[in-house]
């Protein structure tokens, strides 16, 4: 590795230097190049998965479904050189490019030193060559790189000195190796006399407090430059004639700085307002989230309670239904003995499938019957069991089936093949008929009325005591028994009547006399004829009755259908009419409420507008008064300064004149001057007070009259506004009452 000392750039200020400037800079060498080349060629992208067809679907470790092979393809194109370039080679390559571009430049002939193959450098030629693309090697193994450099055997020349392998370079780095360095490195600097570099004005900026510079820092720098340019334009302090100009320029700059400061304060206030708004918004969001969590928790609790209650009701319902079914099986309440043969012959009885609600749990201790085997529950057992299996189990051999011969030697189709073909066709026809998809119904072009099913009438109930219910139930059971017995008797009687001829035939089948046989035969023929006639007559009567019943049923069905539809239509029409009336009434009530809210909102908006106007007026008057005060103060100060200057000038002149006059005047002139001064001071002051008192008395009556007029006008306006508000409220309430009475009359 080559170590180079690094210096910071001398032309940069200490504050603008990059943080993390390291004292040491490590340059890569030939060994690093070789290591990076090996890592680039030994990445996983060059591994290729080749599947194994025998164990393609195996998940076992000792039977992998694929193998990993190293791809010998070179990822680097052949036209790119992969040898390490030293400083000498880079210098030689730069000279070669310069010789190509500049024809006047003559490149020196390359001279190589004697490699001394049989001398002291003999050991270098016994190293193993490095071939990264022809063999595999781990990442931690690094072989020596082959040094293939052409050489000649001339004498060494001192005309071209060798390039040094080490040099000191000044650079800046964006990274640092240690985390302990917190402040940027600032080298020492020396300032020339009578020179102030502009970068030194940024000495107050530090890393994290102004550096790296942003928009605000750039604006501050621009303002500082403008201020320095303005300071350069100021007149000198030694020039007394330009003193006023300098003062005006300084006052203008001070006002400009105060205006800029006010803008900065406003920006800070706006930023604080935005921060407060964001905080309030986040607080509202957090509060809403907490409220939603509370509501969700309460809702989940209520849902759990509801589900538990429903489960309890369902359990009671099932229990009550089971009890009613049990009572229905034994209505008379007789006690029956256990039929053991029936219990053991019925596989749904309590012997084979006992119910858990009766206290029997047949699944208790069922884990005792679970088979626990080492070969099935552990991986080692599975491996051992698999090793004991023969090869044809893990590696099945599939033999292709031979084609079935369906023809004879003479070329005719066999009977079995013909039968199989016919059965396949029949099977296909059955499947087609079974899997035939019904065509979807066509969409209706017009709307059709869908009849609603007639609601079932409620079952009438009669409230009675338990004893009366039991008596009635027993009486009903007894009546059912009688009716069932009577039905059986009638069935037997009808059967006997229908088979009466057969019974008589059986009774007379043993008659042996010939005459009796003939007589019986004649009776039989007559009976058969009568039976045929009766059957024909009954068939005709049944046909007529069927036709009549069909006609009556169709007529009654149409009539009942029409009546039921009319009833449903009438009920729906009445319901819709009632809904429409309710909706209309609700709409009117909402319109009345909305009109009231709208009036209140308009009144509130008018009040807010008036308040806003008054506030704006107050702000404007405040700004105007503030500006007037500033202007007046400025004018007073300016007038005062000018008056003071003029007074001082006049005082000097008057003093000169007074001193000259005092030196020349006599006693009489002094007394005249004193008398004039007394007269000019006392008489004008008395006249001034008299005029002021006269003006005050004249204005007093006008002021009182104006105050009275203003008070009367404001009281009249207030009374008028109050009366108008009362009238509006009364009219609104009357209108709402009229609408409600009208809606009630319509309903």
């Amino acid at each position: 590795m080559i170590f180079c000392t690094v210096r910071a750039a001398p032309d940069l200020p200490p504050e603008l230097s990059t943080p993390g400037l390291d004292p040491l800079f490590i340059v890569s060498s030939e060994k690093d190049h070789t290591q990076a080349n090996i890592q680039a060629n030994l990445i996983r992208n060059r591994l290729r998965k080749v599947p194994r067809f025998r164990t393609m679907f195996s998940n076992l470790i000792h039977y992998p479904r694929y193998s990993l092979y190293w791809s010998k393809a070179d990822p680097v194109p052949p036209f790119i050189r992969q040898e390490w370039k030293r400083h000498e080679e880079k210098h030689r390559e730069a000279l070669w490019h310069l010789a190509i571009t500049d024809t006047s430049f003559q490149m020196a002939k390359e001279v190589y030193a004697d490699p001394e193959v049989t001398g002291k450098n003999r050991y270098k030629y016994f190293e193993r060559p490095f071939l990264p693309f022809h063999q595999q090697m781990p990442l931690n193994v690094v072989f020596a790189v082959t040094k293939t450099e052409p050489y000649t055997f001339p004498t060494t020349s001192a005309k071209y000195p060798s390039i040094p392998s080490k040099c000191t370079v000044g650079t800046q780095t964006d990274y640092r190796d240690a985390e302990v360095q917190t402040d940027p490195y600032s080298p020492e600097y020396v300032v020339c006399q009578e020179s102030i570099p502009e970068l030194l004005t940024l000495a107050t900026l530090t890393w994290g407090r102004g550096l790296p510079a942003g928009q605000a820092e750039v604006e501050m720098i621009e303002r500082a430059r403008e201020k320095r340019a303005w300071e350069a334009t100021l007149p000198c302090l030694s020039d007394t004639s330009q003193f006023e100009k300098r003062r005006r320029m300084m006052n203008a700059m001070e006002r400009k700085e105060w205006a800029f400061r006010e803008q900065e304060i406003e920006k800070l206030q706006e930023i604080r307002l935005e921060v407060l708004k964001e905080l309030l918004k986040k607080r509202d969001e957090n509060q809403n989230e907490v409220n939603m969590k509370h509501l969700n928790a309460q809702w989940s609790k209520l849902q759990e309670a509801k589900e538990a209650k429903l489960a309890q009701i369902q359990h009671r319902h099932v229990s009550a239904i089971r009890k009613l079914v049990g009572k229905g099986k034994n209505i008379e309440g007789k006690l029956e003995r256990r039929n053991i043969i029936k219990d053991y012959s019925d596989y749904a009885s309590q012997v084979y499938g006992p119910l858990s609600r009766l206290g029997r749990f047949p699944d208790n201790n069922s884990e005792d019957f679970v088979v626990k085997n080492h070969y099935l529950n552990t991986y080692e057992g599975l491996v051992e069991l698999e090793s004991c299996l023969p090869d044809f189990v893990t590696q099945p051999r599939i033999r292709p089936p031979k084609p079935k011969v369906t023809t004879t030697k003479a070329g005719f189709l066999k009977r079995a093949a013909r039968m199989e073909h016919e059965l396949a066709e029949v099977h296909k026809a059955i499947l087609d008929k079974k899997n035939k998809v019904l065509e979807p119904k066509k969409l209706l072009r017009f709307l059709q009325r869908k009849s609603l099913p007639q609601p079932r009438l409620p079952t009438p109930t009669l409230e009675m005591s338990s004893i009366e219910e039991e008596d009635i139930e027993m009486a009903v059971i007894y009546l059912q028994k009688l009716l069932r017995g009577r039905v059986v008797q009638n069935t037997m009687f009808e059967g006997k009547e229908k088979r009466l001829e057969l019974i008589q035939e059986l009774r007379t089948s043993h008659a042996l006399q010939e005459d009796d046989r003939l007589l019986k035969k004649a009776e039989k023929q007559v009976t058969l004829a009568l039976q045929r006639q009766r059957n024909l007559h009954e068939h005709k009567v049944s046909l007529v009755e069927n036709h009549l019943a069909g006609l009556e049923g169709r007529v009654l069905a149409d009539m009942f259908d029409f009546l039921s539809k009319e009833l449903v239509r009438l009920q729906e029409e009445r319901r819709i009419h009632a809904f429409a009336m309710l909706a209309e009434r609700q709409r009117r009530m909402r319109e009345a409420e909305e009109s009231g809210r709208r009036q209140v909102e308009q009144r509130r908006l008018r009040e807010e507008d008036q308040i806003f106007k008054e506030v704006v007026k107050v702000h404007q008057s405040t700004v105007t008064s503030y500006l007037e005060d500033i202007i007046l103060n400025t004018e007073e100060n300016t007038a005062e300064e000018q008056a003071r200057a003029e007074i001082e000038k006049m005082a000097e002149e008057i003093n000169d004149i007074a001193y000259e006059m005092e030196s020349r005047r006599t006693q009489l002139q002094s007394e005249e001057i004193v008398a004039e001064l007394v007269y000019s001071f006392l008489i004008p002051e008395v006249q001034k007070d008299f005029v002021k008192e006269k003006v005050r008395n004249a204005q007093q009556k006008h002021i009182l009259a104006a105050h009275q007029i203003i008070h009367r006008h404001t009281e009249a306006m207030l009374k008028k506004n109050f009366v108008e508000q009362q009238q509006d409220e009364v009219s609104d309430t009357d209108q709402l009452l009229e609408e409600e009475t009208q809606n009630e009359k319509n309903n």
Side-chain angles (χ1 to χ4, degrees), residues 354-365:
L355 299 175
S356 59
R357 67 171 179 270
L358 299 179
R360 293 289 302 278
F361 300 96
D363 292 338
N364 284 347
N365 302 323

Side-chain angles (χ1 to χ4, degrees), residues 405-676:
V405 180
T406 59
T407 57
T408 60
K409 294 181 179 180
F412 297 101
L413 192 65
K414 290 183 178 181
R415 183 181 298 174
R418 191 185 305 111
M419 184 69 69
E420 186 176 355
H421 180 67
E422 291 177 357
L423 289 174
E425 289 182 352
V426 172
H427 180 66
K428 183 178 179 182
I430 292 171
L431 288 178
D432 293 341
K433 188 175 181 181
K434 183 178 180 181
N435 298 329
K436 186 177 181 181
V437 180
L438 297 176
E439 295 181 358
K441 294 182 179 180
K442 296 182 179 179
L443 298 176
L444 299 176
R445 294 181 61 188
F446 306 101
L447 295 176
Q448 293 184 359
R449 183 183 294 275
K450 187 175 180 181
S451 60
L452 297 175
Q454 188 174 2
R456 185 177 179 183
L457 297 176
T459 304
T461 56
L462 183 62
E463 296 181 357
M464 293 184 296
S465 62
S466 59
I467 299 173
E468 292 178 356
E469 287 181 358
E470 292 179 359
D471 296 340
I472 291 171
E473 189 176 359
M474 297 301 295
V476 169
I477 293 170
Y478 183 71
L479 182 60
Q480 287 178 356
K481 287 182 179 180
L482 292 178
L483 292 175
R484 288 170 184 167
R486 190 61 181 172
V487 167
V488 173
Q489 289 180 0
N490 291 335
T491 306
M492 293 178 64
F493 184 74
E494 289 177 359
K496 187 189 73 170
E497 290 294 331
K498 288 181 180 180
R499 304 292 185 272
L500 185 60
E501 292 83 0
L502 183 59
I503 293 171
Q504 291 179 0
E505 183 180 357
L506 290 173
R507 287 178 180 177
T508 58
S509 60
H510 298 284
L512 300 176
Q513 291 82 4
E514 188 68 23
D515 297 336
D516 293 338
R517 288 182 180 177
L518 294 173
L519 183 60
K520 295 295 182 183
K521 189 175 182 180
E523 290 179 356
K524 181 180 179 181
Q525 292 178 356
V526 171
T527 304
L528 291 173
L530 292 174
Q531 190 174 5
R532 282 195 295 274
Q533 291 179 1
R534 188 180 65 182
N535 290 335
L536 288 173
H537 180 69
E538 289 179 355
H539 181 65
K540 290 179 181 179
V541 171
S542 63
L543 288 176
V544 173
E545 289 178 353
N546 289 334
H547 284 296
L548 292 175
L551 292 173
E552 291 175 358
R554 282 195 291 274
V555 172
L556 290 174
D558 294 339
M559 183 177 65
F560 289 151
D561 184 37
F562 175 75
L563 292 175
S564 64
K565 289 180 179 178
E566 286 295 323
L567 179 61
V568 172
R569 185 185 64 79
L570 182 60
Q571 292 176 354
E572 292 293 332
E573 185 178 357
R574 290 182 178 178
R575 189 181 293 108
I576 291 168
H577 180 68
F579 285 157
M581 294 295 292
L582 289 173
E584 184 67 21
R585 183 172 180 274
Q586 191 173 6
R587 183 181 66 80
R588 290 179 180 176
M589 291 175 65
R590 288 181 178 177
E591 285 180 356
E593 293 175 357
E594 186 64 27
S595 63
R597 285 197 295 269
R598 192 181 299 112
Q599 291 176 3
V600 173
E601 185 68 21
Q602 290 176 358
R603 191 181 299 113
R604 188 176 61 80
L605 288 175
R606 287 197 298 270
E607 292 176 356
E608 290 180 355
D609 292 341
Q610 188 64 27
I611 292 169
F612 179 74
K613 289 179 182 179
E614 294 295 332
V615 171
V616 170
K617 190 184 296 182
V618 170
H619 287 325
Q620 290 178 354
S621 62
T622 304
V623 172
T624 305
S625 61
Y626 176 69
L627 294 175
E628 288 178 356
D629 293 339
I630 292 173
I631 293 168
L632 291 174
N633 291 331
T634 307
E635 290 179 355
E636 288 178 358
N637 294 331
T638 306
E640 185 178 355
E641 292 175 358
Q642 293 178 359
R644 186 179 292 108
E646 292 177 358
I647 288 168
E648 289 177 354
K649 187 176 180 181
M650 290 175 66
E652 291 177 357
E653 295 177 357
I654 290 169
N655 285 333
D656 295 338
I657 296 169
Y659 291 149
E660 186 178 357
M661 289 177 66
E662 284 181 358
S663 63
R664 294 181 180 179
R665 74 172 177 234
T666 59
Q667 183 68 25
L668 183 60
Q669 291 177 351
S670 300
E671 292 177 358
E672 289 179 358
I673 291 170
V674 171
E676 288 178 359

Side-chain angles (χ1 to χ4, degrees), residues 252-463:
M253 179 55 69
E254 187 176 1
R255 286 195 294 271
K256 186 177 179 181
E257 289 180 352
W258 277 110
F260 176 74
R261 181 58 181 165
E262 289 178 356
Q263 292 178 0
E264 285 187 344
I265 292 171
E266 290 179 356
K267 289 181 181 179
L268 289 175
Q269 289 178 352
E270 291 177 357
I271 292 170
R272 289 177 180 175
L273 285 175
E274 292 295 331
V275 171
L276 287 174
K277 288 180 181 178
E278 291 294 331
L279 291 175
L280 290 174
K281 186 177 179 181
K282 288 182 180 179
R283 188 186 68 179
D284 295 339
E285 291 177 355
N286 295 333
Q287 187 64 31
N288 293 334
E289 187 176 356
V290 171
N291 294 336
M292 288 300 296
K293 286 182 180 179
H294 289 328
L295 290 175
N296 291 333
Q298 188 67 19
W299 183 80
S300 60
K301 288 182 181 179
L302 294 175
Q303 285 293 112
E304 291 176 358
K306 175 187 172 184
E307 291 176 359
K309 190 68 175 177
L310 288 175
Q312 188 178 3
I313 294 171
Q314 186 70 18
H315 180 70
R316 289 202 300 267
H317 172 72
V318 172
S319 178
I321 293 296
R322 189 166 55 247
K323 290 179 181 179
L324 289 175
V325 171
K327 286 183 179 180
K329 290 181 180 179
N330 189 9
I331 297 174
E332 297 181 358
K334 295 182 180 179
L335 298 176
E336 295 181 359
R337 289 186 178 182
R338 178 188 176 191
N339 193 352
I340 300 175
I341 297 172
K342 183 179 178 181
D343 291 344
Y344 279 91
S345 61
D346 186 9
Y347 290 99
S349 63
Q350 296 292 324
V351 177
Y352 295 100
L355 299 175
S356 59
R357 67 171 179 270
L358 299 179
R360 293 289 302 278
F361 300 96
D363 292 338
N364 284 347
N365 302 323
S366 59
E367 62 273 4
D368 296 339
F369 302 100
V370 178
V371 178
K372 298 179 181 179
N373 195 346
H374 168 72
Y375 294 101
L376 299 177
N377 296 338
T378 60
Y379 175 74
E380 292 80 5
L382 287 173
V383 174
E384 185 178 355
L385 183 63
E386 189 176 357
S387 63
C388 298
L389 296 176
D391 294 338
F392 67 86
V393 177
T394 58
Q395 299 177 0
R397 301 177 180 87
I398 301 173
R399 297 178 181 177
K402 295 181 179 180
K404 188 182 291 184
V405 180
T406 59
T407 57
T408 60
K409 294 181 179 180
F412 297 101
L413 192 65
K414 290 183 178 181
R415 183 181 298 174
R418 191 185 305 111
M419 184 69 69
E420 186 176 355
H421 180 67
E422 291 177 357
L423 289 174
E425 289 182 352
V426 172
H427 180 66
K428 183 178 179 182
I430 292 171
L431 288 178
D432 293 341
K433 188 175 181 181
K434 183 178 180 181
N435 298 329
K436 186 177 181 181
V437 180
L438 297 176
E439 295 181 358
K441 294 182 179 180
K442 296 182 179 179
L443 298 176
L444 299 176
R445 294 181 61 188
F446 306 101
L447 295 176
Q448 293 184 359
R449 183 183 294 275
K450 187 175 180 181
S451 60
L452 297 175
Q454 188 174 2
R456 185 177 179 183
L457 297 176
T459 304
T461 56
L462 183 62
E463 296 181 357

